[in-house]
């Protein structure tokens, strides 16, 4: 969706990644170091075991190619290693103690957090506690544990109609049962945008033109976006008899 990006520029950047969260960060770090000779990158990665670590060779290549500008810190949660951090998970508490010893936390020009929800939330809290400004923290969540769905609000209407504009065409449909507004649209419009259906990717973002909705969860929209009236259709349920969404904004 173009949100988790770093346009190459001089400065010092760092990433905290878990498991497959390395995927976008490997590209980000490689591109930054190749294009911007005044940039430095510190990669802090957490994996279960060495055997399950993705892109070991590619990350080692970055170390060989940019020894003065690329710094790698590895933590394995289920295995001791000869170099790197002692085994154990990188949770908020551990990161709060560890990060200031590794680098000047508040002077970094950008932090990139990517991986499972628990790791990203823990890293985000640790950075905020250490005084990092929210605008310097970028996040992409790769996996969210399914939790129980929030109970429906008793003041929610039993019958609601959704009007939605998508790719320049509008339509109105009844919202059936406890389905999300995305599911309402998908029944008639297979071109409705979505990927995760879990409130993580932001692909189903739409502007709430009128009415009110409740979102079950939101790991994708920034506070500025929700304040500007954007919602995640896959997580939204109507709180008013009429709701209108615009997917084209
Ligand atoms: S489809 Fe991913 S947040 Fe809605």
């Amino acid at each position: 969706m173009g949100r988790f990006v770093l346009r190459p520029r001089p400065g010092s950047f760092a990433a905290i990644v878990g498991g497959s969260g390395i995927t976008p960060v490997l590209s980000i770090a490689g591109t930054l170091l190749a294009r911007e000779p005044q940039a430095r990158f510190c990669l802090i990665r957490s994996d279960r075991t060495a055997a399950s670590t993705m892109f070991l060779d590619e990350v080692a290549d970055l170390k060989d190619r940019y020894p003065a500008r690329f710094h790698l810190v590895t933590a394995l949660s289920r295995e001791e290693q000869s170099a790197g951090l002692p085994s154990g998970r990188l949770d908020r508490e551990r990161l709060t103690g560890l990060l200031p010893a590794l680098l000047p936390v508040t002077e970094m020009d950008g932090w990139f957090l990517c991986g499972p929800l628990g790791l990203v939330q823990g890293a985000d809290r640790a950075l905020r506690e250490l005084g990092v400004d929210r605008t310097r923290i970028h996040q992409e969540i790769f996996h969210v544990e399914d939790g129980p769905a929030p109970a429906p609000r008793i003041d929610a209407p039993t019958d609601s109609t959704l009007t939605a504009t998508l790719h320049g065409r509008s339509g109105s449909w009844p919202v059936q049962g406890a389905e999300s507004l995305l599911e309402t649209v998908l029944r008639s419009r297979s071109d409705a945008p979505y990927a995760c259906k879990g409130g993580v990717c932001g692909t189903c973002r739409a502007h709430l033109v009128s009415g009110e909705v409740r979102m079950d969860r939101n790991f994708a929209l920034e506070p500025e976006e929700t304040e500007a009236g954007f919602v995640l259709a896959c997580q939204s349920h109507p709180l008013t008899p009429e709701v209108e969404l615009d997917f084209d904004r």
Side-chain angles (χ1 to χ4, degrees), residues 182 193-205 220 232-235:
L182 174 69
Y194 74 91
C196 72
K197 288 191 178 176
V200 170
C201 69
T203 311
C204 64
R205 188 182 97 143
L232 298 173
C234 77
Q235 298 298 307

Side-chain angles (χ1 to χ4, degrees), residues 146-152 214 216-217 237:
D146 275 339
R214 155 180 73 83
D216 287 341
R217 49 190 188 181
H237 304 273

